[in-house]
Amino acid sequence: MTLAEGVQLVLFGLLAALVIGTALGVVLLSNIVYSAFLLGGVFLSISGLYVLLNAGFVAAAQVLIYVGAVNVLILFGIMLVNKNQPFTPVRRGWIRLIATGGVCFGLFTLLSTMILGTPWQISTDTPVGDGATVLIGLHFFSDFLLPFELASVLLLMALVGAIILARREFVPDEPTTDTIAEALKLPERPRELVPAGREGSESPEG
Amino acid sequence: MIPLEFYLLLAAALFCIGIYGLVTSRNVIRVLMSIELLLNAVNINLMAFSNYLDPATATGQVFTVFVISIAAAEAAVGLAIVLAIYRNRDTVDMEAFNLLKW
């Protein structure tokens, strides 16, 4: 990274404030669509942090996979599961909120004391920078070959499993005789379509 | 050079925010988003360690790429499960998802 010291510090402060602010928005906002878009903001800011850490390849992968795939998938999920329902309040639900906040604050205090108390052995080597792409490829095909192949198998399994889980139920009864015409159709239980715009489906609650 | 502790503190804060959202939110999709926040906090830690403690070999970046790919698979399967439960229960409330309750 050839930027000056002060520029790096200012950029880090800006990106850290963006990450914390948008993450708080993801967790605390009541409208879940806003939360999903703010999640994209979290991912983009973290990709900026990766650029600041001399890792251009992972920054690009972060933008491509998280913002381009995971966030869009979550938006699809929100649109498919968009139900405007008032949640029935849990008895003494505020105790849960306060207890969770206390536990999270305590966890943060614990982690920060550990972070500030540990003598980190900072290496003095020069970072590889953009040569990291070649290095990552070398790692993938030499000493991380088994995890790499396992990741590809796991992605395939996740794809097949997601399709099987999200499909509608298979209806085996009523045997069909017209096999040629029926072979092109995926056998599904017929569902009546929900009319659009029923009972104020806009403004989903979180 | 920015101290390593800044990155670690930022990742710890992001992790705690993710834990808070994971425990307190009632909407299932928001729980999935909180899990993504947790994974990203871990990724920041990995990248910071890779840059500060082991800058010549970039092993932490390899782990980060693995975590990103696993997170993509997790999001796909998680949303499929959410769709399947929503089709049966017709709700997105975590309190109503007691199918595996003992």
Side-chain angles (χ1 to χ4, degrees):
Chain A
M1 183 61 64
T2 54
L3 290 176
E5 185 91 4
V7 179
Q8 282 194 44
L9 208 58
V10 168
L11 278 178
F12 176 80
L14 208 64
L15 287 171
L18 263 177
V19 167
I20 297 297
T22 45
L24 281 175
V26 167
V27 171
L28 296 179
L29 279 186
S30 62
N31 194 334
I32 193 155
V33 181
Y34 294 164
S35 293
F37 281 110
L38 283 178
L39 191 70
V42 177
F43 293 153
L44 281 175
S45 318
I46 288 174
S47 135
L49 281 175
Y50 291 166
V51 172
L52 212 55
L53 281 170
N54 305 306
F57 175 75
V58 185
Q62 168 96 5
V63 174
L64 282 177
I65 297 177
Y66 268 120
V67 184
V70 173
N71 203 7
V72 171
L73 204 61
I74 285 175
L75 275 170
F76 269 141
I78 288 171
M79 290 171 192
L80 288 171
V81 193
N82 188 1
K83 187 176 174 66
N84 183 16
Q85 60 169 5
F87 290 142
T88 53
V90 182
R91 274 180 54 241
R92 290 197 283 277
W94 54 274
I95 292 181
R96 177 159 54 174
L97 293 186
I98 291 174
T100 314
V103 166
C104 289
F105 190 75
L107 183 65
F108 179 70
T109 319
L110 191 71
L111 285 174
S112 49
T113 50
M114 186 274 293
I115 287 166
L116 296 176
T118 309
W120 302 104
Q121 296 173 344
I122 307 290
S123 169
T124 53
D125 297 344
T126 55
V128 285
D130 284 339
T133 311
V134 177
L135 267 181
I136 289 170
L138 283 177
H139 279 304
F140 273 154
F141 287 102
S142 59
D143 47 351
F144 288 109
L145 183 61
L146 181 65
F148 183 64
E149 299 292 340
L150 280 181
S152 61
V153 172
L154 185 126
L155 280 174
L156 182 66
M157 283 164 55
L159 181 68
V160 175
I163 291 170
I164 289 175
L165 279 173
R167 258 195 71 210
R168 290 178 194 156
E169 295 170 33
F170 175 67
V171 189
D173 51 356
E174 57 190 73
T176 58
T177 55
D178 193 3
T179 53
I180 298 174
E182 288 295 319
L184 298 176
K185 285 202 301 185
L186 209 55
E188 282 179 354
R189 174 176 298 166
R191 271 171 76 97
E192 67 277 13
L193 294 176
V194 180
R198 52 143 189 201
E199 31 126 4
S201 60
E202 58 271 350
S203 80
E205 292 188 9
Chain B
M1 205 160 164
I2 306 167
L4 171 64
E5 285 85 0
F6 286 7
Y7 284 103
L8 299 186
L9 284 176
L10 172 67
L14 189 60
F15 192 83
C16 292
I17 292 172
I19 291 268
Y20 181 81
L22 187 67
V23 176
T24 59
S25 55
R26 305 271 305 264
N27 198 326
V28 205
I29 311 278
R30 199 189 297 274
V31 173
L32 285 177
M33 292 198 274
S34 301
I35 294 174
E36 301 294 333
L37 287 185
L38 294 181
L39 290 168
N40 270 286
V42 174
N43 275 346
I44 291 176
N45 265 343
L46 284 173
M47 297 294 285
F49 285 138
S50 168
N51 192 41
Y52 283 90
L53 306 186
D54 185 24
T57 59
T59 317
Q61 301 190 20
V62 177
F63 288 140
T64 307
V65 173
F66 281 134
V67 172
I68 288 176
S69 64
I70 301 300
E74 174 260 340
V77 176
L79 281 173
I81 291 173
V82 166
L83 278 181
I85 299 179
Y86 176 73
R87 202 170 291 140
N88 288 326
R89 286 289 167 114
D90 200 33
T91 181
V92 289
D93 191 359
M94 283 297 283
E95 303 288 331
F97 290 176
N98 51 5
L99 292 155
L100 292 179
K101 206 174 190 177
W102 183 51

